[in-house]
Amino acid sequence: MAWLELREGGWDRGAAATFAVLGAADGALLGAVRLSWADRADGLAMIGCWTLPAVRGRSVATRATRAVTSWAFETADARRIEIAHATGNEASCRVAHRCGYLPEGTLRDSHRYGDGAYHDEHLHALLAADPEPADIAA
């Protein structure tokens, strides 16, 4: 868990909290969810997640994102959380929708991905006052 250990001081610095997503049966690392503060004083955060290819399609990212979202609203004083993902990333779009994050638009040339080019991203957001989604695992 060296990857996670490198991130454990983020919360103390007021920057981010990274959570490992572990398998219930064996404790194996399945992925991670990170809540980053865009403006902590204003309660504005961003959330991102990844999962190993072997567990995709099993609602692991949805359940983990929902858990960290709830924690952020109930414990960390977040008032608005955003998810931004590459426009072609349909899996991340589904996670956002299943977790109740509403689509807000497209951010043009928003983020530089591993290929070195800037890509458009879809922006989704959820407010602390928004209702819980009916079924997060759908």
Side-chain angles (χ1 to χ4, degrees):
M1 294 275 184
W3 181 88
L4 196 58
E5 289 172 5
L6 290 172
R7 287 148 181 83
E8 70 182 344
W11 189 252
D12 294 335
R13 290 189 310 275
T18 303
F19 299 87
V21 180
L22 305 176
D26 58 5
L29 182 66
L30 305 178
V33 179
R34 178 181 170 98
L35 179 85
S36 302
W37 290 109
D39 185 338
R40 192 168 186 178
D42 194 33
L44 177 59
M46 295 200 73
I47 201 164
C49 71
W50 62 267
T51 58
L52 294 173
V55 300
R56 292 180 186 154
R58 299 185 197 168
S59 296
V60 171
T62 299
R63 290 191 308 270
T65 298
R66 188 68 225 148
V68 173
T69 297
S70 294
W71 171 83
F73 286 145
E74 295 167 11
T75 305
D77 295 324
R79 69 166 184 84
R80 174 185 167 93
I81 305 173
E82 298 174 348
I83 293 176
H85 64 82
T87 55
N89 188 339
E90 293 298 322
S92 289
C93 198
R94 285 190 301 273
V95 168
H97 284 287
R98 289 176 182 156
C99 291
Y101 285 75
L102 299 177
E104 294 194 338
T106 300
L107 305 170
R108 298 179 306 131
D109 276 356
S110 175
H111 186 73
R112 187 180 307 191
Y113 286 89
D115 64 1
Y118 284 94
H119 292 267
D120 294 352
E121 293 185 301
H122 286 156
L123 177 66
H124 304 260
L126 185 65
L127 304 178
D130 287 342
E132 290 277 330
D135 181 6
I136 65 170

